[in-house]
Amino acid sequence: MQNAEIIKSGIAYIERNLKTYITPDELAGMVGYSVWHYQRLFTQVMGVPPAEYINRRRLDRALAEISVGRKAIDVAMEYGFDTYAGFYKAFLRMYGCSPKKYLSIYGTHQSVSEASEMYTETDLRKILTNWDIPRELPINDVRIVDETETADNVWQVGKDYFLKTEDRAALLRNVTTAKAIAAQGLNAAVPVPTINGNDFTEDGNCFVLLRRIKGEPLSKAERFGDNCGKFGFKYGQSIARLHNALKAVEENIQPFEQNLFVHVTEWALPDVQKQNIQWKMGLPESFFEEYIRDFGSIYEKLPKQLIHRDPNPCNILFSGGEVNGFIDFDLSERNVRLWDPCYCATGILSEQRDAKNAYDKFPEILENILRGYDSLNPLTVEEKQAVYYVVCSIQMICVAYFESINEYKDLAKINREMLQYVIGKKNMMDNIF
């Protein structure tokens, strides 16, 4: 936890001094670390080396100033670029087009710091005094996406607990849903009561202590190995069982309802059209027209209910080769039920960094997830017709969302590639059933 405090101070220093020359040596010297050790720590916490982070923040801040009318060459010089050509090349690598073209597509730009709020070990131990648990339990970061990234809002406390922070509305929804799922006999991470008997504590932000569910997410090797089809079928069946439980408690939870078709056509699809130009994705305009026409014609016939909304492989736990529980219900909403099995498949694909292997296995994984689901919750004729459009909906939402957040630019690129891939797999998806 000391690591978070060290990087937190470094980020604050960078944000205050983006127009000056900042080196990794300077940042390391501030905390008495070797350059090698500091760079390794910074990369572990922020996902990129300090030099790349500084460059990205300068470009982002510079774009914000250019967008309100300042001359690009003047801004480039202020933010440490020796020539406008150097600034232009760096900008092109990050944004996929020139500053002028970017602003012609998106309009003004607001610079937002990528640094999430970080908590030191001292902060977290103070928060944990709200629960009657041993004070000496170790606190560790939680790693996600096959150990390559660190979650910034959840920590493992000892072997049996997880401490999590989120906004109050999401936390209440998450807790209520988890309790309802547990009441249906399925494993879900329910809150440990505080000393005062509450489900969570509010200390500036809201924190909840969750009891660990036995099990672990499937490893990448298992998800993409020889048994990927068998595991895909189990994923699908587990989501079907989860949906049965969610449907039984939906009336009591009164979830937010999302109109997927409206959400995509009014927000995600127009943004993807802009990115299609910006990043030269090569998507034909006919794709967008056909999506609106064909998905719009069947959308209202698709069954809708309370869904998990985020059943990526990190949120589905296996024990003894079987699904043992689900975690993270904070995004739960009423939506087309087909979203969850399709999202499970695209989530598995997005977390695989070996693109060739992932794309080779994806058709088998998607088909078995859907067949597993269909074996317990039979899909309607319209749902079988809508698989391609729901997968495209998921990808357009991911592309639009990740591109809007600077720290997720790499994920935006991955999801653009995935969208291009799934569009080419329409015939495969149309012929699963």
Side-chain angles (χ1 to χ4, degrees), residues 393-413:
S393 298
I394 291 168
Q395 286 313 122
M396 285 193 280
I397 288 171
C398 289
V399 168
Y401 173 73
F402 289 130
E403 182 65 14
S404 70
I405 303 174
N406 282 324
E407 63 185 295
Y408 292 155
K409 293 289 185 181
D410 290 343
L411 288 176
K413 181 177 183 293

Side-chain angles (χ1 to χ4, degrees), residues 345-366:
T346 60
I348 290 173
L349 179 61
S350 71
E351 293 190 2
Q352 170 63 287
R353 296 299 187 256
D354 181 354
K356 184 180 185 304
N357 182 47
Y359 290 149
D360 287 346
K361 296 285 189 178
F362 178 72
E364 182 180 1
I365 292 170
L366 173 63

